[in-house]
């Protein structure tokens, strides 16, 4: 493969303003064929905006973009695709009611006009899918896929466009470790084929795994651009955050046995293709119980039953001895702090402002909302933009995640249920959320924490339960001897006797 | 949107509408400026024109409010037309059943009967949506046909007044059932409509119910998590919308037509639907838009008589108004985006 020395894309002094805010400020950067460029920075650093300028979603306010050495003709996503530039967004553009295969065909330029049941030509659309996600059945409807699987389908769709430049926006934030590894391999393969890959990320793991070059952005500006290995991890983090990284990671106090506070008793339920097969757990006040597992093994349904969004078909959820499970369709307000996955869909009213969203529980209950000091919560959880009267729908995914964490963890709760509470957050915000979560435990709350990040669970949870196929397949003390591999074995189906 | 941007959008919409209407009149071979001025004069020029305008605005106002009430919860009801007919039928049933009632009892009871009928007609799609998650738009659409045909069946059949010599209509309403009016067509119903709009504005902007409805409209799942009752509000708001359209129906029959006939509505349900969406379900914005559209309809009726423009002109002008009002804000937003501001 001949490496082209001429950059495929060159940004010259690019600036993009939104009103007063300069989201991208005087950025000059090259994107070269055959290279994986990690665009690293915290939430709101301007990474996505910079790439959206290339993709034609926003025109630049100043500066210019060169494509193959000439002024870029791109005025919108359709132009971008014609010019061989593909982008995978954090929000997907898949059609949920269609199968994976039909979704790929709908976006494929080479799709034949007539597609028979066993069309050979149409089958080629699945070639890439079998490399990047061999476990996904192409006949499955997209709405039955986990978020991680959808991400891989979306990626496959973009790669099928034969893009020369593939831009991935935070691709690993919703992937399991195994899926992420497959993605890294695939990214390296794309680069080896001579494509340019831009990986927008705030995770150092992504950079370690597959970047050739690292461009760090902060506050809309490009603060560094260097080959991997030229700087240490600590230096990179300092560049990203604008200060040296905190040394101490938040972790809960060691937990001394207290009576069970949140009790899940033989819960069975079924909804939307998922089942729970008799789940029993006891979480004591002050305890942090982690639930590990590959997404799509019933975690979402379990969370919704515990939070009273769905009614169980059998069993009960008890808080301090009282049932808090939903019965039928009677109105039911959850008494526990609840951070669901995908806050935009499940936890936020986008049409209302930040202040109302932070006070939502009180507003719904018709109570005085004195417990919620809106300004203090916004400050503590560093929600940006920070005006309390701003419509929540205008916030980025990471900031909505912070908003929900602030509402659910910012005031004392008897118990907390957190599903992937740090998804899409940068390092600073991750620390804040964990601190708040463990402060709840320290104050006596029972904390149930659903996560796919095994390292985080191993570093922080008191006990870890592993969920697979709608059941708890292992429940182990996190006593320092537990390893990633052992958990991984439970997650993928190890013999039952391996459980401690 | 700032107040200034709001005014710019309003001015641009008006300008686009005037331009398109001018083209329409030119195509008819009529002088546009003269036609436009006559239209305004026929709509708002004197007391008679104004009363014609208000008479047309009244059913539009009721239908728009009937759409706005479930619309606040994010529901799309197209059922105002059918609810209007059912209200007219149940109201008429009371009048035909108890023709001897004194005016003080007759009018409130007639309005209550119409409200109940309309509410029942709205309750059906409401319950189907609340309990079985059946799409309310489709059900309300289908129920419209049922209601209109039911009214026809009644006036062609059991309710036909033999004195009409075959003309399909009920007997004329007794004087006690005709709402009091000043100056011909400016009747009690209009006052009721305006008061309803004001009451709905207060209901939807103040108090706990308003917040609950906003939360459920914005994110039903969040409302469910925090104990709000979507099923209750769907049922209640669909029934309330139906009741409002029902009152509008009996008022149209009692105050304007004097008897129940097969075609009491000139597409008021659909017009009301568009008015409500144009106003984004805000009752206080519905008031002036309903008046404007009423004026347009009344004015073009007169124009048809005096300037010999085709009868369809009213519908065409109305269509141009809605099309520009829906398209111009979008075009402006798009233009602003590409302008990089």
């Amino acid at each position: 493969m001949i490496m082209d020395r001429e950059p495929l894309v060159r940004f010259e002094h690019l600036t993009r303003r939104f009103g007063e805010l300069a989201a991208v400020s005087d950025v000059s950067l090259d994107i070269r064929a055959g290279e994986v460029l990690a665009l690293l920075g915290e939430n709101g650093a301007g990474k996505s905006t910079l790439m959206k300028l290339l993709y034609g979603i926003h025109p630049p306010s100043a500066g210019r973009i060169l494509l193959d050495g000439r002024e870029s003709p791109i005025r919108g996503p359709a132009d971008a695709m014609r010019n061989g530039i593909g982008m995978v967004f954090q929000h997907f553009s898949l059609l949920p009611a269609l199968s994976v295969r039909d979704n790929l065909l709908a976006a494929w330029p080479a799709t034949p006009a007539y597609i028979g049941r066993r069309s050979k030509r149409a089958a080629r659309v699945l070639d890439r899918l079998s490399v990047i996600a061999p476990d996904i059945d192409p006949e499955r409807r997209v709405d039955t896929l986990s978020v991680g699987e959808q991400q891989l389908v979306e990626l496959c769709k973009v790669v099928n466009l034969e893009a020369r430049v593939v831009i991935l926006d935070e691709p690993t934030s919703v992937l399991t470790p195994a899926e992420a590894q497959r993605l890294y391999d695939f990214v390296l393969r794309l680069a080896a084929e001579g494509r340019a890959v831009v990986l927008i990320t705030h995770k150092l793991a992504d950079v370690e795994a597959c970047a050739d070059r690292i461009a760090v952005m902060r506050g809309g500006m490009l603060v560094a651009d260097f080959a991997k290995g030229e700087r240490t991890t600590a230096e990179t983090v300092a560049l990203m955050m604008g200060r040296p990284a905190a040394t101490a990671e938040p972790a809960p106090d060691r937990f001394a046995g207290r009576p069970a506070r949140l009790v899940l008793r033989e819960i069975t339920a079924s909804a939307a293709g998922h089942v729970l097969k008799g789940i029993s757990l006891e979480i004591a006040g002050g305890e942090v119980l982690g639930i590990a597992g590959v997404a799509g093994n019933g975690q979402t349904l379990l969370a919704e039953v515990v939070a009273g969004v769905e009614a169980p078909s059998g069993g009960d959820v008890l808080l301090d001895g009282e049932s808090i499970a939903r019965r039928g369709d009677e109105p039911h307000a959850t008494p526990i702090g609840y951070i669901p996955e995908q806050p935009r869909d499940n936890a936020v009213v986008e049409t209302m402002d930040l202040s109302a969203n932070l006070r939502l529980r009180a507003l719904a209950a018709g109570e005085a909302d004195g417990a919620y000091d809106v300004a203090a919560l916004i400050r503590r959880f560093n929600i940006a933009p920070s005006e309390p009267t701003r419509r929540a729908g205008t916030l980025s995914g990471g900031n909505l995640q912070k908003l929900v964490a602030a509402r659910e963890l910012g005031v004392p709760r008897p118990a907390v249920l957190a599903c992937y509470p740090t998804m899409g957050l940068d390092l600073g915000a991750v620390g804040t959320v964990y601190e708040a979560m463990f402060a709840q435990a320290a104050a006596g709350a029972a904390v149930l924490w659903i996560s796919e990040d095994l390292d985080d669970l191993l570093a922080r949870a008191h006990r870890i339960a592993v969920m697979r196929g709608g059941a708890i397949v292992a429940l182990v003390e996190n006593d320092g001897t537990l390893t990633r591999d052992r958990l991984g074995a439970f997650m993928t189906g190890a013999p039952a006797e391996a459980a401690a | 949107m700032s107040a200034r941007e709001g005014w710019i959008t309003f001015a641009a919409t008006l300008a686009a509408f005037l331009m398109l209407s001018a083209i329409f009149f030119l195509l008819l071979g009529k002088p546009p400026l003269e036609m436009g001025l006559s239209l305004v004069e026929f709509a708002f020029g004197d007391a008679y024109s104004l009363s014609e305008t208000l008479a047309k605005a009244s059913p539009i106002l009721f239908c728009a409010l009937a759409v706005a009430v479930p619309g606040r919860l994010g529901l799309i009801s197209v059922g105002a037309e059918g609810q209007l007919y059912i209200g007219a039928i149940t109201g008429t049933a009371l009048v035909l059943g108890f023709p001897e009632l004194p005016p003080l009892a007759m009018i409130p009871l007639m309005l209550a009967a119409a409200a109940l009928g309309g509410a029942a007609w709205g309750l059906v799609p409401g319950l189907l949506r609340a309990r079985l998650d059946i799409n309310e738009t489709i059900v309300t659409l289908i129920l419209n046909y049922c209601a209109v045909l039911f009214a026809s069946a009644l006036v062609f059949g059991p309710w036909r007044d033999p004195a009409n010599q075959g003309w399909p209509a009920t007997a004329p309403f007794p004087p006690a059932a005709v709402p009091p009016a000043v100056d011909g067509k400016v009747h009690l119903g209009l006052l009721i409509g305006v008061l309803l709009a004001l009451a709905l504005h207060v209901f939807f902007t103040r108090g706990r119910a308003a917040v609950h409805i906003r939360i459920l409209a914005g994110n039903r799942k969040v409302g469910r998590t925090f104990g709000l009752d979507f099923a209750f509000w769907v049922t209640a708001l669909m029934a309330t919308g139906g009741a409002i359209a029902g009152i509008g129906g009996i008022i149209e029959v009692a105050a304007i037509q004097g008897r129940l006939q097969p075609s009491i509505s000139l597409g008021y349900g659909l017009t009301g639907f568009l008015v409500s969406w144009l106003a984004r379900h805000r009752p206080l914005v519905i008031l002036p838009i309903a008046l404007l559209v009423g004026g347009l309809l009344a004015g073009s009726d007169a124009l048809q008589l005096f300037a010999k423009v085709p009868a369809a002109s009213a519908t065409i002008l109305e269509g141009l108004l809605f099309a520009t009002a829906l398209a111009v804000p979008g075009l402006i937003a798009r233009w602003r985006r590409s302008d990089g501001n």
Side-chain angles (χ1 to χ4, degrees):
Chain A
M1 178 91 4
I2 301 154
M3 284 266 183
D4 202 346
R5 285 296 92 197
E6 174 83 357
L8 262 175
V9 178
R10 167 166 277 176
F11 298 136
E12 286 185 350
H13 304 289
L14 270 191
T15 296
R16 169 69 205 191
R17 286 184 209 90
F18 294 103
E20 296 293 299
L21 174 81
V24 170
S25 178
D26 193 26
V27 170
S28 297
L29 182 69
D30 288 348
I31 299 172
R32 300 193 193 95
E35 187 178 72
V36 181
L37 171 69
L39 196 52
L40 192 65
E42 307 224 282
N43 291 337
K47 303 165 298 204
S48 297
T49 309
L50 179 65
M51 285 303 137
K52 284 178 184 168
L53 295 179
L54 171 60
Y55 201 58
I57 291 176
H58 311 296
S61 310
R64 58 182 195 150
I65 302 170
L66 300 181
L67 191 63
D68 299 319
R70 282 190 300 277
E71 187 97 23
S72 162
I74 295 171
R75 295 288 171 268
D79 280 348
M81 286 178 225
R82 267 196 296 281
N83 283 282
I85 294 171
M87 185 157 175
V88 180
F89 293 93
Q90 280 170 294
H91 285 114
F92 311 137
S93 52
L94 299 172
L95 303 168
L98 295 186
S99 70
V100 170
R101 178 172 174 268
D102 290 344
N103 262 286
L104 292 176
L105 284 170
W108 194 34
T111 299
Y114 171 78
I115 305 163
R117 208 56 213 147
R118 299 187 203 292
S119 165
K120 281 230 172 56
R121 284 201 297 155
R124 272 190 18 239
V125 80
L126 300 172
D127 290 352
R128 299 272 182 187
L129 186 70
S130 59
V131 175
I132 185 172
D135 301 335
I136 299 179
D137 174 1
E139 300 307 326
R140 267 175 73 188
R141 272 167 59 127
V142 162
D143 53 9
T144 66
L145 301 179
S146 73
V147 184
E149 289 168 324
Q150 290 183 31
Q151 166 106 52
L152 296 175
V153 174
E154 183 82 32
L155 172 62
C156 190
K157 202 172 101 179
V158 168
V159 173
N160 270 337
L161 297 172
E162 299 302 329
R164 295 181 297 157
V165 182
V166 179
I167 305 162
L168 304 171
D169 195 355
E170 304 278 3
T172 56
S173 59
V174 294
L175 298 183
T176 63
E179 284 171 329
Q181 188 54 52
R182 211 146 51 215
L183 177 85
Y184 296 143
D185 294 342
F186 190 70
V187 162
L188 291 172
R189 209 171 120 152
L190 288 176
E193 287 173 6
R195 296 170 212 267
V197 182
V198 181
L199 201 61
I200 301 173
T201 185
H202 60 257
K203 284 164 119 183
L204 291 165
D206 294 348
V207 177
E208 296 295 331
C210 60
D212 297 312
R213 202 155 55 90
I214 298 157
V216 183
M217 286 187 77
R218 193 175 70 236
M221 284 183 286
L222 186 71
V223 294
D225 174 10
F226 52 91
K228 184 161 79 174
E230 278 181 15
R231 291 179 203 248
T232 65
T233 305
E235 282 171 350
T236 311
V237 171
L239 278 170
M240 195 163 107
M241 301 184 70
R243 58 186 154 80
T247 42
E249 296 250 313
D253 298 339
R254 280 326 303 170
F255 151 79
R258 271 183 262 186
R261 213 165 169 197
L262 182 65
V263 176
L264 282 54
R265 187 182 287 161
E266 288 291 321
I267 294 176
T268 55
S270 64
H274 293 293
V275 286
L276 298 180
K277 303 168 184 164
I279 289 192
S280 296
L281 286 173
E282 294 194 352
I283 304 111
E287 185 183 18
V288 178
L289 176 73
I291 295 188
V294 177
N297 274 281
Q299 293 94 325
T300 307
L301 182 55
L302 177 65
E304 295 200 331
V305 169
V306 173
V309 179
E310 293 289 336
S313 54
D316 207 351
V317 183
L318 304 169
L319 176 66
D320 295 330
E322 307 240 339
S323 172
I324 58 164
R326 174 179 286 270
R327 299 276 167 244
D329 267 329
E330 290 302 303
H332 172 93
T334 184
I336 67 174
Y338 172 43
I339 303 179
E341 60 182 306
Q342 296 181 23
R344 195 180 292 274
D345 296 337
N346 297 322
V348 171
V349 183
E350 291 193 74
T351 50
M352 298 175 90
D353 63 19
L354 296 191
S355 165
N357 269 287
L358 284 168
R359 294 177 293 126
L360 210 51
R361 280 168 172 263
L363 288 176
E367 294 162 354
D369 47 15
Y372 298 86
D373 181 343
V374 169
L377 285 174
I378 289 176
R379 242 192 338 272
R380 178 173 159 206
F381 285 84
N382 195 19
I383 298 166
S386 61
E387 310 96 82
T389 54
R390 177 179 274 272
R391 231 168 51 86
T394 62
L395 265 62
S396 70
N399 279 297
L400 286 183
Q401 185 85 47
K402 294 187 220 168
L403 178 77
V404 175
R407 179 178 74 212
E408 302 301 320
L409 303 175
V411 295
R413 305 280 177 210
V416 169
L417 166 58
C419 307
Y420 318 106
T422 58
M423 185 170 278
L425 296 185
D426 56 52
L427 290 172
V430 167
T432 309
V433 169
Y434 281 148
E435 263 167 34
M437 196 162 94
F438 302 140
Q440 292 281 351
V447 176
L448 187 57
W449 170 26
I450 297 178
S451 175
E452 285 184 333
D453 194 324
L454 299 185
D455 294 327
D456 274 16
L457 285 172
L458 285 169
R460 298 179 170 94
H462 294 123
R463 278 190 298 161
I464 298 177
V466 179
M467 217 173 151
R468 178 160 49 83
I472 299 289
V473 294
L475 177 60
V476 284
E477 289 291 331
N478 185 14
D479 53 8
T481 62
L482 197 59
T483 61
R484 240 186 111 89
D485 291 340
R486 183 136 167 264
L487 280 181
F490 288 131
M491 284 165 68
T492 50
E497 60 267 27
Chain B
M1 199 192 285
S2 72
R4 188 172 147 265
E5 285 173 32
W7 281 110
I8 291 175
T9 308
F10 177 76
T13 308
L14 192 66
F17 170 63
L18 291 177
M19 214 167 66
L20 288 173
S21 332
I23 294 174
F24 168 65
F25 284 123
L26 280 175
L27 287 174
L28 287 178
K30 306 276 177 191
L33 189 63
E34 197 182 304
M35 289 289 125
L37 290 175
S38 315
L39 186 66
V40 174
E41 205 182 323
F42 287 137
F44 306 101
D46 52 40
Y48 173 79
S49 310
L50 206 56
S51 87
E52 286 295 314
T53 292
L54 289 171
K56 286 269 195 283
S58 163
I60 295 173
L61 172 61
F62 279 101
C63 287
L65 293 175
V67 171
V69 168
R72 295 295 286 228
L73 192 62
L75 302 172
I76 304 174
S77 162
V78 292
E81 184 89 357
Q83 294 152 0
L84 178 132
Y85 269 87
I86 293 295
I89 290 170
T90 50
T92 302
L94 186 107
V95 175
L96 295 181
F98 307 93
E100 307 297 334
L101 283 175
L104 270 181
M106 176 66 100
I107 289 180
L109 284 175
M110 177 181 82
L111 293 178
L116 281 176
W121 215 242
L123 192 66
V124 173
L127 283 174
L128 287 174
R129 174 67 204 262
R131 299 288 160 216
L132 303 171
D133 216 16
I134 293 173
N135 185 304
E136 75 282 357
T137 312
I138 306 287
V139 178
T140 48
L141 181 69
I142 292 167
L143 286 179
N144 283 348
Y145 294 106
C146 299
V148 173
L149 292 172
F150 185 39
S152 289
L154 287 173
V155 294
F156 275 101
W159 283 6
R160 171 148 59 183
D161 184 8
N164 286 341
Q165 300 174 330
W167 179 254
T170 62
F173 277 23
V178 177
V182 291
D183 193 24
K185 291 182 169 176
V186 183
H187 49 73
L188 176 72
L190 209 57
L191 180 67
I192 296 177
V194 172
L195 291 178
L196 266 174
L198 295 176
L200 288 173
H201 170 74
V202 173
F203 178 76
F204 282 121
T205 52
R206 310 254 187 282
R208 200 201 293 186
V211 177
H212 287 185
I213 290 167
R214 279 193 71 197
I215 293 175
L216 284 168
N219 191 329
R220 191 173 146 190
K221 194 155 189 180
V222 170
R224 183 175 168 92
T225 309
F226 295 147
L228 302 187
D229 194 344
F230 182 72
F232 166 76
W233 282 114
V234 170
T235 322
L237 294 184
M238 285 299 289
T240 307
I244 293 171
I247 294 173
I250 193 60
I251 283 174
E252 184 66 12
V253 167
I256 304 294
Q257 308 187 352
R259 58 175 68 178
L260 183 64
Q261 301 175 42
S263 54
I264 43 178
S265 161
L266 305 167
Y268 294 134
L270 181 60
T271 305
F273 177 82
L274 293 169
V275 167
S276 179
W277 279 80
L278 216 54
R280 284 190 270 159
H281 310 317
R282 287 170 295 181
L284 292 191
V285 184
I286 287 176
L287 282 174
I289 298 184
L291 184 68
L292 197 69
V293 174
L296 191 64
L297 293 182
S300 13
D301 271 4
L303 212 55
Q304 182 198 337
L305 277 178
F306 300 114
K308 306 273 180 284
V309 300
S313 302
T315 317
I316 293 171
L317 288 176
E318 198 191 329
L320 289 176
L321 175 66
F322 287 126
T324 45
L326 291 172
V328 168
L331 288 173
I332 289 180
R334 185 175 171 155
W335 172 68
R336 273 177 199 283
R337 258 204 312 278
S338 64
D339 204 35
N341 286 308

